Amino acid sequence: MLQHALIQRLDAQDRAWYLRLVLAESAPALTLSFWKMLTHVGGVTASILIAFIPLGFAEDAYKIAAVQAAWTLGISHLIVQVIKRNVVRVRPTERVHLIAHVRLPDRFSFPSGHSAAAMSVAFIHAFTFHSLAWPMLGIATIVGFSRVRVGAHYPGDVVIGQLIAIATGVLVLRLW
């Protein structure tokens, strides 16, 4: 019973944060365009491209980073999909009846796959490209935030997606 009450409180808090952060339907077109463009950085095409960029332009450790990023991306995506299909948390648009400003890839909200994808690639590349570490991690964090802004996810979905990515990255780096 205590666990159920805790989950309900966390869910209510998550919904309250979502309602504060999501863009209104009447948001300016430029604002919508910015957040929509940013959210696609966590999509499958962009994530794969960014993961593999070092393969074409770098040598040695940088090529290894591309392979590690691809492994982290793949494993974290698998973990996210297994959790999504077992938790079955519906998207915020179904619960609070606001529109999503982007096409939703599936019905399930928890955890955020886009957030996990962006953080997976950024986390691994941050270990190799030290001078770009903070900007990459910052962009990955903002990509996660964009998923809330465009109405696709609750903030908790984003945080857990990013934590899955980081944990997967740590595992890949340790096993490498």
Side-chain angles (χ1 to χ4, degrees), residues 4-6 17-18 27 33 64 106 115 134 149 173 176:
H4 185 63
L6 175 63
W17 274 105
Y18 170 82
S33 294
I64 292 171
D106 57 35
S115 301
W134 287 113
R149 295 292 283 166
L173 289 170
W176 207 264

Side-chain angles (χ1 to χ4, degrees), residues 50-171:
I50 295 167
F52 283 118
I53 283 173
L55 278 179
F57 302 101
E59 296 294 328
D60 303 328
Y62 300 115
K63 286 191 181 219
I64 292 171
V67 175
Q68 290 171 331
W71 274 103
T72 303
L73 180 61
I75 294 167
S76 67
H77 182 71
L78 180 64
I79 293 168
V80 164
Q81 292 306 313
V82 167
I83 293 171
K84 275 187 181 221
R85 272 125 187 95
N86 283 289
V87 173
V88 193
R89 185 182 197 189
V90 297
R91 298 267 180 184
T93 53
E94 290 185 39
R95 288 194 64 203
V96 296
H97 307 293
L98 296 174
I99 67 157
H101 298 289
V102 293
R103 186 185 69 75
L104 300 173
D106 57 35
R107 298 183 0 243
F108 310 118
S109 183
F110 181 85
S112 169
H114 280 71
S115 301
M119 189 57 75
S120 291
V121 175
F123 183 79
I124 293 298
H125 285 336
F127 273 86
T128 304
F129 304 99
H130 301 291
S131 62
L132 297 174
W134 287 113
M136 284 190 289
L137 293 170
I139 290 169
T141 301
I142 294 169
V143 167
F145 181 66
S146 76
R147 298 303 288 167
V148 178
R149 295 292 283 166
V150 299
H153 285 284
Y154 295 103
D157 303 339
V158 168
V159 170
I160 297 302
Q162 291 174 335
L163 289 174
I164 289 168
I166 292 167
T168 305
V170 167
L171 178 68

